[in-house]
Every structure is written in structure tokens, then in C-alpha cells.
């Protein structure tokens, strides 16, 4: 009896990535740098979020040639993004064998009402969330991993902090309220009662929770891990810095030893005078420029 | 006093192993530093990414101390990534390893994530009931040295091995509720303690 694509193996790969850093890369060479620096996986894409933000236009699934080139270049898992709701892009990525599909607000949404039915796929999905209700809706749809959304390509950690805190605080509330309140709470946050009850019992999501969107320094990574993220996605933060190798290694070290300030300090020191990516004040972005509000 | 088992916590599914070890009757701690390593009776290297963990073992000075403890008799169990890290070598790659068990492993040998699978397998050392083996981008064992026992195979490829105080599995018992492999590993600590007892009474 052999079963593929079960919830256990889909969620299981994310469990193997815990405590690690997943890095955005746009070339096979960057993927090799990421792997050598200790990345647990790479996200293959044509433009990193900071560039998508700057250049505008419709952002779609990356070219298959690029994704395949990255899959051939490294031995670690390779993830790739599809537009929210674009199940045909997801079918294509599954057919070429990517290890994880990110149904991502960083790309231009294809469907403004519905997300992909992720149970229909063998390849696991990761989805973004700003709060517990959004996370549980994605899990109901079949997401095998959740990442806080943050504000991708901003180089600003404030939204990531807001989203991780919102998720963790809501979980903590569920564990402390009387059982009879759970049905109403599930209705209020727009999530299934069964999942809300499970979270109330276990005190955690049933899938791994990473942080994404705005991590650009070793201290940012340590902050997010201490706030309860189980691992880190770094998008623009590494290859938009002026010394990607150093930044990649330093963020990996700080993620592993997030609770040891001396090691995080060593990681910061290892950067010398290298500069982090320039950031932007998220409050100055127009509503239409925000990526995190896409999908709900 | 139950055994204190460490789970190497540089990266990977650490809490799953710790919970399974506790269900099997041990106490478990995460091992991130030399001070943690010094406390434990045995060590598990969990599932994760081998390229990441090999770099971090070296970066934080844990590779040599783990090697010397295991060579002095401390039981070690590597699951998936952990088995790759403990192996003699990795087929087709010059990836560094700890060289603590005389096997050659091939990474991702059963395929990428779409080939990851749950399989019910009869593993004789665990008894007659099939074990729910979970393979995730799993390696297989391509060569087994003369003093290594092959404990389980899948489609003709080795997936569970033991050489004295070192155990390796391609699959992830920590993701199941069946803790027979964890109990088997704890019995290896009994064996190791008896060996130490014999050695000291002989001396």
C-alpha cells in the first residue's frame, strides 16, 4: 500500500524546513549561492518582489525554463509562485515537478473571489495570511504550510510583525476562552469550526507557520522567530543587499540561534559595512500598491 | 531515571522527534550547543536539509564533538537528512558527512516531493505489524558496509540500517503515532550502557 500526495507528506515537507530560511532567487547562480549559504529551499521567480513593485505590470508565473534551470542547479527543494486562484498555472508547476507551490499575493491575482482548491493537487501549497481566519481558510482549501504575508518587497518588517502577532494572539485567545464560545468565534473570523476547535485544543496551527514579507537583516529574522515563526522566507532582502553571500549566511545563522543574542550579534558583525536593501515606509504606500491586501 | 535523548536542533523537525521520544518513555531536549550535547545519553539528527545542517554543524563547532561522542559509544539515530549527515559518503556528490556509519546514500533517490509517499512496511525488528513509513524526498542506501545490518528495504533499496550504536532510516517515524522505531532506538541505549558496563568490569 503506497499513497502519494497525502496531507501527511504535503505538511511533512514543510515540517522538514522548520528552523530554516527559504530564499527568493531569480537565476540558477543565485540558487547555488543560497544553497551554499544554508538555505533550506529556494523560491524560483523572474523578478523579486522589490522589482515587481518598482516595475509594475501584471506579474505571472515565472518561465518554466527559468524554474527548470533552478531545479537542475540545486539539490534543496524548489518552490515557485502562481497567481491567486490560477489553478492552471498550478497544474503546470505540478507537472514539471516543483516541490512546493506558493499561491502568492506578490503576483497579480487571477481570481478576485476564490483561491485554488489545493486538495486537488499532489504538490503541496504554501499560502500567505494576515490573521488566523485567513490562515484557517487557506488550510481548509488545502494549504499545507502558511506564511505570514508581511509586505513583500518593502524591506520593512512592520507588517510581518503585525501579521505574526495577529495569528499568534488569536491562537492564544482560542486556547483560553470557554468551549461554548468557539462556534461564534469561528463565525466571526470566517473559519471552519473544526479547525478552530483543533487550534483551541493544540494551541497551534495544524500546519507549519513561516514568516514572510520584509525580513532584511539577521536581527529581523531573530525577531520573527522569537515572535513564533517556525522559519523565514527572505525575498528581496538577500539579493537586493549589496553582499548577498554575507547576508544569506548571516540570516541563516541568526534564524538557527534566534534566541542567542551573542550569535545574532556575530551574524550582524559578519556583515561589516555591507548595506541591507533600502526599505520603504509602508504607510506611504497607496492602498492600490499594497500586496498583502490581495486575497482574503 | 529515563534516558535523556538530544535532538539536534540546528534545523528540521525537532519537536516532532522530541514528542515521539517522550511518548516512547525518554526525556528529550533540543541540542544546539556543546553544553547541550554534553548532557545527553544519545542523539537524534532529525529530518531537514542536509546541506544546511552540514554547514551549521561546521559553523558552530559541533561536528567533531558529535563524532568523538558517537565513536566512544553514544547511540546516534539519523532520520532522512540525519542519515545522510551520518553516512560515510553521498553518491554522486562531494557533500561532506560525519562518516559515522559505513553506508553510501543517494539523496532524493525516490524522487522529488510529488513522489513522497506513505507506505505500510513490515520491518522484522519491529515485530509482525506493518509500520507506517513516511518518505519525504527520501534518500536510499546504495551501499552497505560489511558490518552494517540492513533492517528494511523498499523496492530493493535499503531504507533502514544499523551499525552497532548508529541507526539510520530513510523515513520519518516521528511523523506517525507509532513509536516502535523510537522504542528500538531507546533499546540501543540499553545496549550501549551494557557495553560500557562490560568494558569497565573487564578493566
Amino acid at each position: 500500500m503506497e499513497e502519494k500526495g497525502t496531507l501527511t507528506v504535503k505538511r511533512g515537507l514543510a515540517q522538514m524546513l522548520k528552523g530554516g530560511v527559504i530564499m527568493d532567487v531569480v537565476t540558477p547562480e543565485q540558487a547555488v549561492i543560497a544553497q551554499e549559504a544554508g538555505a533550506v529551499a529556494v523560491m524560483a521567480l523572474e523578478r523579486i518582489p522589490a522589482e515587481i513593485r518598482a516595475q509594475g505590470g501584471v506579474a505571472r508565473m515565472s518561465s518554466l525554463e527559468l524554474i527548470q534551470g533552478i531545479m537542475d542547479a540545486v539539490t534543496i527543494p524548489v518552490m515557485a509562485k502562481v497567481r491567486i486562484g490560477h489553478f492552471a498555472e498550478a497544474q503546470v508547476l505540478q507537472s514539471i515537478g516543483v516541490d512546493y507551490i506558493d499561491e502568492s499575493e506578490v503576483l497579480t491575482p487571477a481570481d478576485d473571489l476564490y483561491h485554488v482548491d489545493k486538495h486537488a493537487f499532489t504538490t503541496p501549497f504554501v499560502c500567505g495570511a494576515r490573521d488566523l481566519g485567513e490562515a484557517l481558510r487557506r488550510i481548509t482549501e488545502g494549504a499545507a504550510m502558511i506564511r505570514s504575508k508581511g509586505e513583500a518587497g518593502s524591506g520593512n518588517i512592520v507588517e510581518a510583525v503585525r501579521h505574526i502577532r495577529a495569528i499568534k494572539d488569536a491562537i492564544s485567545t482560542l486556547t483560553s476562552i470557554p468551549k461554548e464560545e468557539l462556534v461564534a468565534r469561528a463565525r466571526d473570523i470566517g473559519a471552519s469550526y473544526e479547525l478552530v476547535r483543533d487550534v483551541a485544543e493544540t494551541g497551534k496551527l495544524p500546519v507549519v507557520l513561516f514568516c514572510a514579507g520584509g525580513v532584511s537583516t539577521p536581527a529581523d529574522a531573530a525577531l520573527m522567530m522569537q515572535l513564533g515563526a517556525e522559519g523565514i522566507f527572505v525575498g528581496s532582502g538577500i539579493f537586493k543587499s549589496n553582499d548577498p553571500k554575507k547576508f544569506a549566511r548571516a540570516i541563516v545563522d541568526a534564524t538557527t540561534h534566534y534566541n542567542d543574542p551573542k550569535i545574532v550579534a556575530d551574524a550582524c558583525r559578519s556583515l561589516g559595512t555591507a548595506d541591507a536593501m533600502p526599505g520603504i515606509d509602508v504607510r506611504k504606500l497607496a492602498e492600490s500598491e499594497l500586496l498583502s491586501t490581495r486575497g482574503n | 531515571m529515563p534516558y535523556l535523548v538530544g535532538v539536534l536542533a540546528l534545523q528540521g523537525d525537532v519537536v516532532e522527534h522530541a514528542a515521539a521520544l517522550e511518548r516512547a518513555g525518554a526525556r528529550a531536549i533540543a541540542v544546539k550547543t556543546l553544553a547541550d550535547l554534553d548532557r545527553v545519553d544519545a542523539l537524534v539528527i532529525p529530518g531537514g536539509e542536509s546541506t544546511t545542517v552540514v554547514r551549521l554543524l561546521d559553523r558552530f563547532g559541533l561536528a567533531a564533538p558529535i563524532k568523538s561522542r558517537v565513536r566512544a559509544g553514544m547511540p546516534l539515530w539519523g532520520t532522512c537528512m540525519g542519515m545522510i549527515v551520518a553516512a560515510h559518503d553521498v553518491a554522486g556528490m562531494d557533500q561532506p558527512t560525519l562518516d559515522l556509519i559505513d553506508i553510501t546514500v543517494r539523496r532524493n533517490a525516490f524522487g522529488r516531493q510529488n513522489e513522497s509517499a506513505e507506505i505500510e512496511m513490515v520491518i522484522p525488528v519491529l515485530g509482525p505489524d506493518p509500520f507506517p513509513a513516511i518518505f519525504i524526498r527520501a534518500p536510499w542506501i546504495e551501499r552497505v558496509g560489511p558490518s552494517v545490518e540492513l533492517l528494511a528495504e523498499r523496492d530493493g533499496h535499503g531504507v533502514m540500517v544499523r551499525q552497532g550504536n548508529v541507526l539510520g532510516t530513510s523515513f520519518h517515524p516521528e511523523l506517525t503515532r507509532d513509536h516502535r522505531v523510537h522504542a528500538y532506538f531507546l533499546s540501543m541505549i540499553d545496549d550501549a550502557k551494557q557495553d560500557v558496563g562490560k568494558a569497565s568490569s573487564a578493566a
Side-chain angles (χ1 to χ4, degrees):
Chain A
M1 188 57 190
E2 176 171 327
E3 277 189 286
K4 293 177 180 165
T6 60
L7 272 184
T8 302
V9 299
K10 289 172 163 180
R11 292 175 177 182
L13 178 54
Q15 288 169 278
M16 300 310 145
L17 302 178
K18 283 195 294 182
V21 181
I22 300 170
M23 302 182 191
D24 278 3
V25 296
V26 300
T27 63
E29 293 71 30
Q30 287 187 353
V32 171
I33 290 172
Q35 176 169 275
E36 285 172 356
V40 290
V42 289
M43 178 75 70
L45 68 178
E46 265 161 2
R47 294 183 290 169
I48 53 177
E51 289 165 346
I52 293 173
R53 187 178 284 292
Q55 295 164 4
V58 173
R60 312 180 179 92
M61 175 181 78
S62 296
S63 93
L64 299 190
E65 192 185 346
L66 174 78
I67 296 169
Q68 190 67 54
I70 289 169
M71 287 166 63
D72 294 341
V74 294
T75 56
I76 55 179
V78 175
M79 303 183 166
K81 291 183 192 291
V82 299
R83 286 177 267 179
I84 289 172
H86 207 315
F87 54 84
E89 284 186 346
Q91 289 161 353
V92 168
L93 289 186
Q94 172 165 286
S95 79
I96 69 164
V98 303
D99 296 294
Y100 239 91
I101 297 171
D102 183 5
E103 186 180 19
S104 177
E105 69 282 2
V106 169
L107 304 186
T108 311
D111 190 324
D112 58 6
L113 290 178
Y114 305 112
H115 283 68
V116 173
D117 168 22
K118 293 164 276 284
H119 290 293
F121 290 79
T122 305
T123 310
F125 279 72
V126 55
C127 289
R130 287 163 295 168
D131 55 39
L132 182 63
E134 195 174 357
L136 296 181
R137 286 191 292 281
R138 296 295 87 77
I139 293 167
T140 298
E141 293 159 1
M145 178 180 190
I146 294 292
R147 53 174 176 76
S148 59
K149 280 179 169 173
E151 186 58 31
S154 70
N156 189 333
I157 200 68
V158 65
E159 294 300 303
V161 169
R162 189 199 317 278
H163 299 158
I164 278 281
R165 278 198 189 276
I167 293 168
K168 300 297 285 189
D169 289 353
I171 291 173
S172 156
T173 303
L174 286 185
T175 61
S176 61
I177 61 176
K179 219 171 169 185
E180 63 270 20
E181 294 182 17
L182 293 177
V183 172
R185 192 61 61 115
R187 182 200 59 210
D188 293 346
I189 67 172
S192 93
Y193 167 69
E194 286 72 21
L195 276 178
V196 164
R197 185 196 54 201
D198 289 351
V199 170
E201 279 170 12
T202 61
K204 60 190 290 299
L205 293 180
V207 303
V208 167
L209 172 64
F210 268 48
C211 157
V215 174
S216 26
T217 68
D220 285 349
L223 173 69
M224 299 316 298
M225 293 295 285
Q226 288 187 47
L227 288 175
E230 295 178 287
I232 304 286
F233 280 89
V234 188
S236 319
I238 289 172
F239 290 100
K240 275 288 169 187
S241 71
N242 67 3
D243 194 335
K245 276 186 198 179
K246 276 189 184 168
F247 267 85
R249 284 196 199 128
I251 290 175
V252 169
D253 290 356
T255 301
T256 291
H257 285 286
Y258 65 89
N259 50 4
D260 184 337
K262 284 190 183 136
I263 294 180
V264 178
D266 287 343
C268 296
R269 210 173 284 123
S270 75
L271 300 175
T273 55
D275 285 326
M277 69 176 284
I280 48 184
D281 184 343
V282 178
R283 290 171 306 177
K284 292 189 177 149
L285 292 174
E287 183 66 26
S288 63
E289 295 176 294
L290 292 173
L291 303 177
S292 60
T293 52
R294 294 168 167 181
N296 182 30
Chain B
M1 195 64 176
Y3 294 129
L4 184 63
V5 180
V7 184
L8 186 69
L10 297 177
Q11 188 276 314
D13 69 332
V14 177
V15 297
E16 290 82 349
H17 260 298
L21 286 162
E22 298 204 331
R23 286 198 299 273
R27 287 180 303 140
I29 59 164
V31 169
K32 279 194 173 185
T33 63
L34 281 178
D36 300 330
L37 181 65
D38 285 343
R39 292 175 56 201
V40 301
D41 298 307
L43 183 69
V44 172
I45 305 183
E49 278 307 315
S50 59
T51 48
T52 305
V53 168
V54 164
R55 187 193 149 250
L56 292 171
L57 279 169
D58 184 49
R59 164 78 180 80
F60 295 110
L62 286 166
I66 289 174
K67 278 166 91 156
S68 66
R69 287 273 329 254
V70 174
R71 287 189 175 144
M74 179 181 74
L76 173 75
W77 172 21
T79 53
C80 193
M81 171 274 274
M83 182 175 77
I84 296 166
V85 171
H88 173 69
D89 62 335
V90 182
M93 297 177 65
D94 58 1
Q95 181 169 325
T97 60
L98 296 180
D99 190 16
L100 291 168
I101 180 167
D102 188 14
I103 57 173
T104 301
V105 294
R106 183 171 291 277
R107 288 186 54 202
N108 307 331
F110 289 103
R112 304 189 74 100
Q113 174 62 13
N114 285 342
E115 304 305 316
S116 293
E118 295 185 54
I119 301 170
E120 297 274 325
M121 293 178 49
V122 174
I123 299 174
V125 291
L126 304 179
D129 292 336
F131 187 85
I134 296 169
F135 291 86
I136 297 178
R137 287 172 48 92
W140 69 43
I141 298 150
E142 200 148 293
R143 181 194 62 84
V144 173
S147 53
V148 176
E149 297 170 78
L150 185 58
L151 301 177
E153 286 184 280
R154 171 184 167 197
D155 306 334
H157 301 287
V159 295
M160 180 171 178
V161 280
R162 176 176 178 182
Q163 181 179 20
N165 59 328
V166 182
L167 179 69
T169 55
S170 295
F171 51 93
H172 294 281
E174 74 279 12
L175 296 185
T176 71
R177 300 296 295 180
D178 188 329
H179 56 250
R180 280 180 288 162
V181 184
H182 288 82
Y184 179 81
F185 181 60
L186 297 184
S187 79
M188 288 172 56
I189 310 179
D190 295 333
D191 296 349
K193 299 273 177 198
Q194 277 172 10
D195 288 349
V196 170
K198 275 183 211 152
S200 56
S201 60

